[in-house]
Amino acid sequence: VQLTESGGGSVHTGGSLRLSCATSEYTYSRHLMGWFRQAPGKEREGVAVIWTGTGTTDYADSVKGRFTISQDNAKTTVYLQMNSLKPEDTAMYYCAARAGGYWYDSLVASTYNYWGQGTQVTVSS
């Protein structure tokens, strides 16, 4: 399973970035897809997830109303649109995929089978 992330960068507080995660059609259609992040010295935490078969989504409380996860079926790509960015959003962001067809613990990193290489997001004040 290959997950290829792109779109990270550096912005000021209040700025926006869009992350992309491209994968194969097999992975895209049969796995729960999620975005996670890890700041230095902190545990990896779930940010947003999407079940591409139904479009069902879930978000961490810390990003609700600011981040949006979406999908492009033709490109088998999942996106994370991040608006109103804050310095505390600074982290390495990872795309992940989980097999098994279940929804519970969808924001728990340890339940995911496959990971991308990560893309850095830095928000300065």
Side-chain angles (χ1 to χ4, degrees), residues 11-12 14-19 34-38 45-49 57-70 79-94 107 121-123:
V11 297
H12 292 293
S16 298
L17 286 171
R18 189 177 80 158
L19 307 183
W35 285 99
F36 294 77
R37 66 187 182 186
Q38 188 167 20
E45 62 173 351
V47 175
V49 297
T57 61
D58 197 12
Y59 296 89
D61 288 342
S62 59
V63 306
K64 283 181 180 176
R66 301 189 298 123
F67 291 11
T68 303
I69 190 169
S70 62
Y79 301 97
L80 184 67
Q81 178 67 45
M82 305 184 293
N83 298 329
S84 302
L85 282 162
K86 305 174 182 180
E88 50 263 44
D89 294 317
T90 295
M92 185 72 78
Y93 282 71
Y94 297 90
L107 289 170
V121 171
T122 302
V123 185

Side-chain angles (χ1 to χ4, degrees), residues 1-112:
V1 173
Q2 187 169 2
L3 305 169
T4 305
E5 301 124 329
S6 61
S10 298
V11 297
H12 292 293
T13 299
S16 298
L17 286 171
R18 189 177 80 158
L19 307 183
S20 300
C21 174
T23 188
S24 68
E25 191 281 333
Y26 179 87
T27 301
Y28 180 85
S29 63
R30 293 171 174 79
H31 293 69
L32 181 65
M33 303 291 295
W35 285 99
F36 294 77
R37 66 187 182 186
Q38 188 167 20
K42 294 188 176 181
E43 294 187 355
R44 192 168 296 188
E45 62 173 351
V47 175
V49 297
I50 187 166
W51 186 258
T52 58
T54 62
T56 304
T57 61
D58 197 12
Y59 296 89
D61 288 342
S62 59
V63 306
K64 283 181 180 176
R66 301 189 298 123
F67 291 11
T68 303
I69 190 169
S70 62
Q71 62 190 83
D72 184 326
N73 294 339
K75 297 181 179 179
T76 60
T77 297
V78 172
Y79 301 97
L80 184 67
Q81 178 67 45
M82 305 184 293
N83 298 329
S84 302
L85 282 162
K86 305 174 182 180
E88 50 263 44
D89 294 317
T90 295
M92 185 72 78
Y93 282 71
Y94 297 90
C95 179
R98 187 175 83 179
Y102 62 99
W103 183 253
Y104 69 83
D105 287 344
S106 60
L107 289 170
V108 177
S110 61
T111 68
Y112 281 72

